[in-house]
Amino acid sequence: MKKSLIVKILVVALIAYSAYAYYQTHKVSETNFDANLYASGNGRLEATEVSINAKFSERIEKLYVNEGDIVTEGQPVAQMKTDTMQAEYDEAVMNAASAAHEIQVKTQAINVAKCDVASYQADLAARKSRYVRSSQLVKSGAISKQTYDDDAAKYNEARSALASAQENVRLSIATLAQAQANAKASQAHVAVLASKLKESTLYAPRSGRIQYRVAREGEVITAGGRIFSMWDMDDVYMTFYVSEFAAGRIKLGAEALLVMDSDRDHPIPAKISYVATVAQFTPKTVETKEERSKLMFRIKAKVDPSVVANNPELKAGVPGVAWVKFDANTPWPKFLKAENAKN
């Protein structure tokens, strides 16, 4: 009985010592790294948030995705109701067809009016010739005054008829212009409604992961109202802060490793995409008062989209430590376990 108890105590002690030794080794490795080769800073995994909003005020008919779903660019995510809009579109199409027909009618009326003008011009020419001849004959007494008066009256009537026909052509052209304007407005209305019908289906603007579903099926949403909030998988990064010395040595495109608190054994490979040119105070998330009092430079390490796509467990907001090396030829320290990096 005593032997068994002693063995158990020894096993527990051995496990405790191993854990303590690992912790001390791990702690020393991280705190005593060569600052001439590497820099590090606390941060959180972040991603650009993209909103998917309704284009116009309408009731939501169907939602195709849920929170946590992975979507690709151009994938349908929601459908708005279109009953009323479809009826308006059908009516607009009929009005546009009617307007187009009206143009044909007005164009034909102009052609008829122009034919009338040509006929009246020919009649006027004949009556004018007769009137001129009558004017000469009445002076010599070859025709009566009554005949001359009749020819003069018919000549004036022909002039009035021609003027009326010409005015009719002018009015027909004006009404054609109005019909063409109406047809153009009708076609524009059809185009607007067709666009709204097309926009009644909402698509994912980028590839990413749905974070929040703000609205529900059957709800009426206002124009511009948000329905989904998604995480852009092409823009996942960690922002951290380093000293002036380190900032001056970090290059754009430099290799980085993001060691997340939730999985320290599998760091995330990244590349430096931004180095601030102006110093600033570090945020309050930095723990020590001494570090908060220093002017630091903001650094941004971006994760390759393929890494994010292959590791769906990655989530925005998870804390960790970003590591960056100044020289690409410098190997990573062993405690970072770069060989286990996610891919």
Side-chain angles (χ1 to χ4, degrees):
M1 188 74 176
K2 282 186 177 182
K3 272 189 176 183
S4 176
L5 181 60
I6 293 172
V7 170
K8 289 181 179 179
I9 292 174
L10 289 175
V11 170
V12 172
L14 180 62
I15 293 174
Y17 175 77
S18 298
Y20 176 76
Y22 172 80
Y23 173 75
Q24 290 296 324
T25 302
H26 188 74
K27 181 179 179 182
V28 170
S29 298
E30 285 196 7
T31 56
N32 294 335
F33 66 91
D34 191 342
N36 291 312
L37 300 177
Y38 314 98
S40 69
N42 297 327
R44 291 180 180 273
L45 201 63
E46 302 177 62
T48 298
E49 185 177 355
V50 180
S51 293
I52 302 178
N53 303 327
K55 301 294 182 64
F56 48 85
S57 180
E58 189 52 85
R59 188 179 301 276
I60 301 174
E61 183 174 10
K62 184 69 176 177
L63 297 178
Y64 299 123
V65 294
N66 293 306
E67 294 178 351
D69 287 353
I70 301 295
V71 296
T72 57
E73 183 176 351
Q75 177 181 335
V77 295
Q79 176 64 52
M80 312 298 288
K81 287 188 70 66
T82 59
D83 297 351
T84 302
M85 195 182 307
Q86 185 65 53
E88 291 178 3
Y89 173 77
D90 294 341
E91 183 180 0
V93 169
M94 291 178 61
N95 291 338
S98 177
H101 177 69
E102 187 67 16
I103 289 177
Q104 295 178 347
V105 172
K106 298 299 182 184
T107 301
Q108 187 176 359
I110 290 175
N111 293 334
V112 171
K114 287 181 177 180
C115 289
D116 289 342
V117 167
S119 175
Y120 286 127
Q121 284 175 334
D123 184 58
L124 177 62
R127 292 185 180 278
K128 182 179 180 180
S129 177
R130 185 179 180 84
Y131 167 70
V132 171
R133 188 171 61 253
S134 296
S135 299
Q136 295 172 349
L137 291 176
V138 73
K139 292 178 182 179
S140 62
I143 61 172
S144 66
K145 181 71 168 51
Q146 183 62 47
T147 301
Y148 166 75
D149 291 341
D150 291 342
D151 290 341
K154 290 178 180 179
Y155 170 61
N156 291 328
E157 288 175 2
R159 291 175 60 188
S160 298
L162 176 59
S164 178
Q166 290 173 333
E167 178 64 15
N168 191 30
V169 170
R170 188 188 67 79
L171 292 175
S172 296
I173 292 174
T175 56
L176 173 62
Q178 182 61 47
Q180 290 172 332
N182 292 340
K184 188 175 181 180
S186 297
Q187 291 168 356
H189 191 208
V190 169
V192 169
L193 291 175
S195 177
K196 290 186 70 175
L197 280 172
K198 184 178 179 180
E199 291 177 346
S200 64
T201 301
L202 303 184
Y203 301 90
R206 302 290 297 272
S207 296
R209 181 181 293 120
I210 300 296
Q211 291 295 95
Y212 302 105
R213 186 176 66 176
V214 181
R216 297 291 184 268
E217 292 179 2
E219 291 184 11
V220 175
I221 194 111
T222 58
R226 185 167 63 169
I227 298 178
F228 291 107
S229 176
M230 62 175 287
W231 178 20
D232 184 358
M233 294 176 65
D234 291 336
D235 194 15
V236 178
Y237 57 92
M238 178 181 284
T239 298
F240 59 103
Y241 293 80
V242 299
S243 66
E244 182 180 5
F245 169 79
R249 305 188 67 180
I250 295 175
K251 301 175 183 178
L252 289 175
E255 293 182 45
L257 283 178
L258 310 182
V259 181
M260 311 312 298
D261 291 356
S262 58
D263 188 359
R264 302 182 64 87
D265 293 330
H266 298 88
I268 303 170
K271 289 187 180 296
I272 301 302
S273 61
Y274 172 80
V275 178
T277 56
V278 179
Q280 55 190 284
F281 282 101
T282 52
K284 293 182 180 180
T285 52
V286 175
E287 286 77 7
T288 67
K289 182 178 180 181
E290 181 182 359
E291 287 180 333
R292 286 201 301 270
S293 66
K294 296 177 182 178
L295 282 173
M296 307 286 275
F297 287 78
R298 185 164 66 95
I299 311 295
K300 186 175 177 180
K302 184 175 181 180
V303 182
D304 190 274
S306 62
V307 175
V308 181
N310 294 335
N311 297 274
E313 73 278 4
L314 297 180
K315 296 179 176 63
V318 178
V321 179
W323 291 84
V324 57
K325 55 184 179 179
F326 303 139
D327 188 342
N329 297 320
T330 302
W332 287 110
K334 291 185 178 180
F335 68 85
L336 290 180
K337 302 181 180 179
E339 67 278 5
N340 297 336
K342 297 179 183 292
N343 52 48

mmCIF file of all heavy atoms in Angstrom, residues 280-315:
data_model
loop_
_atom_site.group_PDB
_atom_site.id
_atom_site.type_symbol
_atom_site.label_atom_id
_atom_site.label_comp_id
_atom_site.label_asym_id
_atom_site.label_seq_id
_atom_site.Cartn_x
_atom_site.Cartn_y
_atom_site.Cartn_z
ATOM 1 N N GLN A 280 3.144 56.849 -32.523
ATOM 2 C CA GLN A 280 1.937 57.131 -31.764
ATOM 3 C C GLN A 280 1.998 56.353 -30.462
ATOM 4 O O GLN A 280 2.820 55.462 -30.298
ATOM 5 C CB GLN A 280 0.703 56.739 -32.555
ATOM 6 C CG GLN A 280 0.711 55.293 -33.025
ATOM 7 C CD GLN A 280 -0.402 54.998 -33.993
ATOM 8 O OE1 GLN A 280 -1.544 54.854 -33.591
ATOM 9 N NE2 GLN A 280 -0.074 54.896 -35.278
ATOM 10 N N PHE A 281 1.095 56.692 -29.525
ATOM 11 C CA PHE A 281 1.029 55.937 -28.293
ATOM 12 C C PHE A 281 0.409 54.583 -28.564
ATOM 13 O O PHE A 281 -0.480 54.446 -29.390
ATOM 14 C CB PHE A 281 0.188 56.678 -27.242
ATOM 15 C CG PHE A 281 0.930 57.803 -26.592
ATOM 16 C CD1 PHE A 281 0.710 59.116 -26.974
ATOM 17 C CD2 PHE A 281 1.865 57.544 -25.599
ATOM 18 C CE1 PHE A 281 1.400 60.154 -26.377
ATOM 19 C CE2 PHE A 281 2.561 58.578 -24.987
ATOM 20 C CZ PHE A 281 2.327 59.893 -25.378
ATOM 21 N N THR A 282 0.889 53.574 -27.871
ATOM 22 C CA THR A 282 0.300 52.253 -28.016
ATOM 23 C C THR A 282 -1.069 52.229 -27.350
ATOM 24 O O THR A 282 -1.338 52.995 -26.423
ATOM 25 C CB THR A 282 1.196 51.183 -27.366
ATOM 26 O OG1 THR A 282 1.477 51.585 -26.024
ATOM 27 C CG2 THR A 282 2.486 51.026 -28.120
ATOM 28 N N PRO A 283 -1.961 51.357 -27.793
ATOM 29 C CA PRO A 283 -3.302 51.311 -27.193
ATOM 30 C C PRO A 283 -3.284 50.741 -25.788
ATOM 31 O O PRO A 283 -2.290 50.171 -25.339
ATOM 32 C CB PRO A 283 -4.049 50.376 -28.155
ATOM 33 C CG PRO A 283 -2.981 49.509 -28.740
ATOM 34 C CD PRO A 283 -1.776 50.388 -28.873
ATOM 35 N N LYS A 284 -4.386 50.869 -25.083
ATOM 36 C CA LYS A 284 -4.468 50.437 -23.688
ATOM 37 C C LYS A 284 -4.389 48.932 -23.529
ATOM 38 O O LYS A 284 -4.249 48.443 -22.408
ATOM 39 C CB LYS A 284 -5.757 50.970 -23.068
ATOM 40 C CG LYS A 284 -5.765 52.486 -22.929
ATOM 41 C CD LYS A 284 -7.044 52.968 -22.273
ATOM 42 C CE LYS A 284 -7.049 54.486 -22.131
ATOM 43 N NZ LYS A 284 -8.280 54.992 -21.505
ATOM 44 N N THR A 285 -4.498 48.186 -24.643
ATOM 45 C CA THR A 285 -4.422 46.734 -24.531
ATOM 46 C C THR A 285 -3.012 46.265 -24.182
ATOM 47 O O THR A 285 -2.817 45.138 -23.751
ATOM 48 C CB THR A 285 -4.845 46.087 -25.859
ATOM 49 O OG1 THR A 285 -4.088 46.688 -26.924
ATOM 50 C CG2 THR A 285 -6.318 46.283 -26.123
ATOM 51 N N VAL A 286 -2.014 47.147 -24.383
ATOM 52 C CA VAL A 286 -0.661 46.803 -23.943
ATOM 53 C C VAL A 286 -0.635 46.856 -22.420
ATOM 54 O O VAL A 286 -1.062 47.829 -21.811
ATOM 55 C CB VAL A 286 0.374 47.776 -24.550
ATOM 56 C CG1 VAL A 286 1.769 47.487 -23.987
ATOM 57 C CG2 VAL A 286 0.372 47.645 -26.058
ATOM 58 N N GLU A 287 -0.089 45.800 -21.799
ATOM 59 C CA GLU A 287 -0.304 45.605 -20.373
ATOM 60 C C GLU A 287 0.436 46.568 -19.449
ATOM 61 O O GLU A 287 -0.138 47.100 -18.509
ATOM 62 C CB GLU A 287 0.068 44.153 -20.001
ATOM 63 C CG GLU A 287 -0.951 43.121 -20.448
ATOM 64 C CD GLU A 287 -0.853 42.815 -21.933
ATOM 65 O OE1 GLU A 287 0.082 43.315 -22.575
ATOM 66 O OE2 GLU A 287 -1.703 42.078 -22.433
ATOM 67 N N THR A 288 1.723 46.816 -19.685
ATOM 68 C CA THR A 288 2.509 47.543 -18.686
ATOM 69 C C THR A 288 2.443 49.045 -18.882
ATOM 70 O O THR A 288 2.351 49.550 -19.999
ATOM 71 C CB THR A 288 3.983 47.099 -18.740
ATOM 72 O OG1 THR A 288 4.536 47.525 -19.982
ATOM 73 C CG2 THR A 288 4.105 45.595 -18.627
ATOM 74 N N LYS A 289 2.525 49.768 -17.790
ATOM 75 C CA LYS A 289 2.488 51.226 -17.838
ATOM 76 C C LYS A 289 3.701 51.770 -18.563
ATOM 77 O O LYS A 289 3.631 52.756 -19.297
ATOM 78 C CB LYS A 289 2.430 51.784 -16.414
ATOM 79 C CG LYS A 289 2.348 53.305 -16.349
ATOM 80 C CD LYS A 289 2.240 53.777 -14.919
ATOM 81 C CE LYS A 289 2.163 55.296 -14.855
ATOM 82 N NZ LYS A 289 2.081 55.776 -13.455
ATOM 83 N N GLU A 290 4.856 51.102 -18.381
ATOM 84 C CA GLU A 290 6.082 51.558 -19.030
ATOM 85 C C GLU A 290 5.944 51.496 -20.549
ATOM 86 O O GLU A 290 6.339 52.413 -21.254
ATOM 87 C CB GLU A 290 7.249 50.685 -18.576
ATOM 88 C CG GLU A 290 8.590 51.108 -19.207
ATOM 89 C CD GLU A 290 9.710 50.194 -18.786
ATOM 90 O OE1 GLU A 290 9.444 49.265 -17.997
ATOM 91 O OE2 GLU A 290 10.849 50.391 -19.231
ATOM 92 N N GLU A 291 5.383 50.411 -21.024
ATOM 93 C CA GLU A 291 5.218 50.271 -22.473
ATOM 94 C C GLU A 291 4.198 51.264 -23.007
ATOM 95 O O GLU A 291 4.324 51.773 -24.113
ATOM 96 C CB GLU A 291 4.799 48.838 -22.806
ATOM 97 C CG GLU A 291 5.936 47.845 -22.646
ATOM 98 C CD GLU A 291 5.492 46.442 -22.975
ATOM 99 O OE1 GLU A 291 4.289 46.160 -22.826
ATOM 100 O OE2 GLU A 291 6.328 45.626 -23.374
ATOM 101 N N ARG A 292 3.173 51.570 -22.224
ATOM 102 C CA ARG A 292 2.145 52.512 -22.674
ATOM 103 C C ARG A 292 2.702 53.921 -22.802
ATOM 104 O O ARG A 292 2.182 54.745 -23.544
ATOM 105 C CB ARG A 292 0.954 52.514 -21.711
ATOM 106 C CG ARG A 292 0.078 51.284 -21.828
ATOM 107 C CD ARG A 292 -1.316 51.574 -21.268
ATOM 108 N NE ARG A 292 -1.283 51.987 -19.878
ATOM 109 C CZ ARG A 292 -1.365 51.149 -18.852
ATOM 110 N NH1 ARG A 292 -1.446 49.851 -19.066
ATOM 111 N NH2 ARG A 292 -1.332 51.599 -17.619
ATOM 112 N N SER A 293 3.744 54.211 -22.051
ATOM 113 C CA SER A 293 4.285 55.566 -22.053
ATOM 114 C C SER A 293 5.210 55.824 -23.240
ATOM 115 O O SER A 293 5.608 56.949 -23.483
ATOM 116 C CB SER A 293 5.045 55.828 -20.757
ATOM 117 O OG SER A 293 6.193 55.000 -20.694
ATOM 118 N N LYS A 294 5.574 54.775 -23.951
ATOM 119 C CA LYS A 294 6.489 54.918 -25.078
ATOM 120 C C LYS A 294 5.729 55.246 -26.363
ATOM 121 O O LYS A 294 4.617 54.811 -26.571
ATOM 122 C CB LYS A 294 7.273 53.620 -25.293
ATOM 123 C CG LYS A 294 8.197 53.246 -24.144
ATOM 124 C CD LYS A 294 8.857 51.919 -24.439
ATOM 125 C CE LYS A 294 9.747 51.476 -23.291
ATOM 126 N NZ LYS A 294 10.352 50.153 -23.545
ATOM 127 N N LEU A 295 6.398 55.969 -27.223
ATOM 128 C CA LEU A 295 5.875 56.167 -28.564
ATOM 129 C C LEU A 295 6.232 54.942 -29.396
ATOM 130 O O LEU A 295 7.387 54.546 -29.466
ATOM 131 C CB LEU A 295 6.468 57.430 -29.195
ATOM 132 C CG LEU A 295 5.865 58.757 -28.734
ATOM 133 C CD1 LEU A 295 6.653 59.922 -29.314
ATOM 134 C CD2 LEU A 295 4.412 58.857 -29.179
ATOM 135 N N MET A 296 5.226 54.379 -30.020
ATOM 136 C CA MET A 296 5.436 53.144 -30.774
ATOM 137 C C MET A 296 4.929 53.329 -32.205
ATOM 138 O O MET A 296 4.247 54.302 -32.525
ATOM 139 C CB MET A 296 4.694 51.984 -30.101
ATOM 140 C CG MET A 296 5.019 51.805 -28.632
ATOM 141 S SD MET A 296 6.653 51.089 -28.347
ATOM 142 C CE MET A 296 6.250 49.343 -28.506
ATOM 143 N N PHE A 297 5.253 52.368 -33.068
ATOM 144 C CA PHE A 297 4.836 52.398 -34.466
ATOM 145 C C PHE A 297 3.889 51.238 -34.745
ATOM 146 O O PHE A 297 4.129 50.102 -34.333
ATOM 147 C CB PHE A 297 6.057 52.306 -35.387
ATOM 148 C CG PHE A 297 6.874 53.568 -35.438
ATOM 149 C CD1 PHE A 297 7.739 53.888 -34.403
ATOM 150 C CD2 PHE A 297 6.768 54.431 -36.512
ATOM 151 C CE1 PHE A 297 8.500 55.052 -34.445
ATOM 152 C CE2 PHE A 297 7.522 55.594 -36.566
ATOM 153 C CZ PHE A 297 8.381 55.910 -35.529
ATOM 154 N N ARG A 298 2.824 51.552 -35.464
ATOM 155 C CA ARG A 298 1.819 50.527 -35.781
ATOM 156 C C ARG A 298 2.271 49.708 -36.985
ATOM 157 O O ARG A 298 2.660 50.244 -38.011
ATOM 158 C CB ARG A 298 0.468 51.184 -36.069
ATOM 159 C CG ARG A 298 -0.672 50.194 -36.287
ATOM 160 C CD ARG A 298 -2.011 50.890 -36.164
ATOM 161 N NE ARG A 298 -2.207 51.866 -37.219
ATOM 162 C CZ ARG A 298 -2.847 51.618 -38.364
ATOM 163 N NH1 ARG A 298 -3.347 50.407 -38.582
ATOM 164 N NH2 ARG A 298 -3.004 52.568 -39.260
ATOM 165 N N ILE A 299 2.186 48.397 -36.834
ATOM 166 C CA ILE A 299 2.573 47.452 -37.889
ATOM 167 C C ILE A 299 1.368 46.572 -38.201
ATOM 168 O O ILE A 299 0.601 46.208 -37.311
ATOM 169 C CB ILE A 299 3.766 46.570 -37.451
ATOM 170 C CG1 ILE A 299 4.896 47.429 -36.879
ATOM 171 C CG2 ILE A 299 4.260 45.716 -38.609
ATOM 172 C CD1 ILE A 299 5.541 48.355 -37.865
ATOM 173 N N LYS A 300 1.249 46.213 -39.463
ATOM 174 C CA LYS A 300 0.130 45.360 -39.877
ATOM 175 C C LYS A 300 0.681 44.146 -40.620
ATOM 176 O O LYS A 300 1.426 44.288 -41.593
ATOM 177 C CB LYS A 300 -0.817 46.155 -40.781
ATOM 178 C CG LYS A 300 -2.095 45.439 -41.160
ATOM 179 C CD LYS A 300 -2.984 46.393 -41.948
ATOM 180 C CE LYS A 300 -4.262 45.716 -42.415
ATOM 181 N NZ LYS A 300 -5.129 46.635 -43.191
ATOM 182 N N ALA A 301 0.332 42.954 -40.133
ATOM 183 C CA ALA A 301 0.750 41.709 -40.770
ATOM 184 C C ALA A 301 -0.471 41.036 -41.387
ATOM 185 O O ALA A 301 -1.426 40.716 -40.676
ATOM 186 C CB ALA A 301 1.411 40.788 -39.753
ATOM 187 N N LYS A 302 -0.454 40.840 -42.690
ATOM 188 C CA LYS A 302 -1.603 40.285 -43.401
ATOM 189 C C LYS A 302 -1.424 38.797 -43.655
ATOM 190 O O LYS A 302 -0.346 38.341 -44.051
ATOM 191 C CB LYS A 302 -1.811 41.014 -44.726
ATOM 192 C CG LYS A 302 -3.044 40.571 -45.481
ATOM 193 C CD LYS A 302 -3.269 41.422 -46.724
ATOM 194 C CE LYS A 302 -4.519 40.974 -47.460
ATOM 195 N NZ LYS A 302 -4.771 41.797 -48.678
ATOM 196 N N VAL A 303 -2.515 38.043 -43.451
ATOM 197 C CA VAL A 303 -2.514 36.596 -43.663
ATOM 198 C C VAL A 303 -2.951 36.307 -45.087
ATOM 199 O O VAL A 303 -3.895 36.926 -45.601
ATOM 200 C CB VAL A 303 -3.454 35.896 -42.658
ATOM 201 C CG1 VAL A 303 -3.404 34.385 -42.846
ATOM 202 C CG2 VAL A 303 -3.088 36.274 -41.232
ATOM 203 N N ASP A 304 -2.288 35.370 -45.727
ATOM 204 C CA ASP A 304 -2.654 34.997 -47.094
ATOM 205 C C ASP A 304 -4.073 34.419 -47.110
ATOM 206 O O ASP A 304 -4.421 33.604 -46.253
ATOM 207 C CB ASP A 304 -1.661 33.961 -47.637
ATOM 208 C CG ASP A 304 -1.852 33.724 -49.123
ATOM 209 O OD1 ASP A 304 -2.703 32.882 -49.483
ATOM 210 O OD2 ASP A 304 -1.169 34.382 -49.925
ATOM 211 N N PRO A 305 -4.911 34.824 -48.076
ATOM 212 C CA PRO A 305 -6.297 34.330 -48.123
ATOM 213 C C PRO A 305 -6.408 32.807 -48.186
ATOM 214 O O PRO A 305 -7.346 32.231 -47.648
ATOM 215 C CB PRO A 305 -6.853 34.973 -49.397
ATOM 216 C CG PRO A 305 -6.037 36.211 -49.587
ATOM 217 C CD PRO A 305 -4.674 35.861 -49.102
ATOM 218 N N SER A 306 -5.427 32.152 -48.836
ATOM 219 C CA SER A 306 -5.489 30.692 -48.935
ATOM 220 C C SER A 306 -5.334 30.035 -47.567
ATOM 221 O O SER A 306 -5.953 28.995 -47.290
ATOM 222 C CB SER A 306 -4.406 30.185 -49.889
ATOM 223 O OG SER A 306 -3.105 30.509 -49.394
ATOM 224 N N VAL A 307 -4.533 30.648 -46.691
ATOM 225 C CA VAL A 307 -4.365 30.116 -45.330
ATOM 226 C C VAL A 307 -5.674 30.225 -44.561
ATOM 227 O O VAL A 307 -6.079 29.302 -43.853
ATOM 228 C CB VAL A 307 -3.235 30.862 -44.595
ATOM 229 C CG1 VAL A 307 -3.145 30.403 -43.143
ATOM 230 C CG2 VAL A 307 -1.911 30.655 -45.308
ATOM 231 N N VAL A 308 -6.350 31.363 -44.718
ATOM 232 C CA VAL A 308 -7.638 31.555 -44.038
ATOM 233 C C VAL A 308 -8.664 30.561 -44.561
ATOM 234 O O VAL A 308 -9.427 29.964 -43.798
ATOM 235 C CB VAL A 308 -8.139 32.998 -44.245
ATOM 236 C CG1 VAL A 308 -9.467 33.207 -43.526
ATOM 237 C CG2 VAL A 308 -7.114 33.993 -43.734
ATOM 238 N N ALA A 309 -8.687 30.362 -45.899
ATOM 239 C CA ALA A 309 -9.655 29.445 -46.497
ATOM 240 C C ALA A 309 -9.422 28.010 -46.039
ATOM 241 O O ALA A 309 -10.383 27.249 -45.864
ATOM 242 C CB ALA A 309 -9.577 29.540 -48.021
ATOM 243 N N ASN A 310 -8.154 27.637 -45.826
ATOM 244 C CA ASN A 310 -7.834 26.264 -45.416
ATOM 245 C C ASN A 310 -7.984 26.028 -43.917
ATOM 246 O O ASN A 310 -7.885 24.880 -43.475
ATOM 247 C CB ASN A 310 -6.395 25.919 -45.828
ATOM 248 C CG ASN A 310 -6.222 25.872 -47.336
ATOM 249 O OD1 ASN A 310 -7.178 25.631 -48.071
ATOM 250 N ND2 ASN A 310 -5.006 26.116 -47.803
ATOM 251 N N ASN A 311 -8.194 27.101 -43.164
ATOM 252 C CA ASN A 311 -8.309 26.976 -41.704
ATOM 253 C C ASN A 311 -9.551 27.721 -41.215
ATOM 254 O O ASN A 311 -9.454 28.830 -40.678
ATOM 255 C CB ASN A 311 -7.047 27.525 -41.032
ATOM 256 C CG ASN A 311 -5.793 26.756 -41.404
ATOM 257 O OD1 ASN A 311 -5.464 25.748 -40.796
ATOM 258 N ND2 ASN A 311 -5.088 27.230 -42.432
ATOM 259 N N PRO A 312 -10.719 27.139 -41.403
ATOM 260 C CA PRO A 312 -11.974 27.814 -41.037
ATOM 261 C C PRO A 312 -12.102 28.104 -39.550
ATOM 262 O O PRO A 312 -12.972 28.869 -39.150
ATOM 263 C CB PRO A 312 -13.054 26.830 -41.510
ATOM 264 C CG PRO A 312 -12.374 25.501 -41.574
ATOM 265 C CD PRO A 312 -10.966 25.800 -41.967
ATOM 266 N N GLU A 313 -11.236 27.510 -38.724
ATOM 267 C CA GLU A 313 -11.324 27.770 -37.284
ATOM 268 C C GLU A 313 -10.794 29.151 -36.915
ATOM 269 O O GLU A 313 -11.034 29.629 -35.799
ATOM 270 C CB GLU A 313 -10.553 26.692 -36.501
ATOM 271 C CG GLU A 313 -9.035 26.789 -36.592
ATOM 272 C CD GLU A 313 -8.453 26.169 -37.872
ATOM 273 O OE1 GLU A 313 -9.253 25.735 -38.717
ATOM 274 O OE2 GLU A 313 -7.220 26.138 -37.999
ATOM 275 N N LEU A 314 -10.080 29.799 -37.830
ATOM 276 C CA LEU A 314 -9.565 31.137 -37.549
ATOM 277 C C LEU A 314 -10.720 32.112 -37.411
ATOM 278 O O LEU A 314 -11.617 32.158 -38.250
ATOM 279 C CB LEU A 314 -8.627 31.591 -38.678
ATOM 280 C CG LEU A 314 -7.351 30.762 -38.876
ATOM 281 C CD1 LEU A 314 -6.533 31.337 -40.020
ATOM 282 C CD2 LEU A 314 -6.535 30.721 -37.595
ATOM 283 N N LYS A 315 -10.694 32.916 -36.373
ATOM 284 C CA LYS A 315 -11.792 33.836 -36.089
ATOM 285 C C LYS A 315 -11.246 35.205 -35.710
ATOM 286 O O LYS A 315 -10.220 35.312 -35.033
ATOM 287 C CB LYS A 315 -12.673 33.299 -34.953
ATOM 288 C CG LYS A 315 -13.389 32.005 -35.292
ATOM 289 C CD LYS A 315 -14.216 31.519 -34.113
ATOM 290 C CE LYS A 315 -15.008 30.272 -34.481
ATOM 291 N NZ LYS A 315 -14.126 29.142 -34.831
#
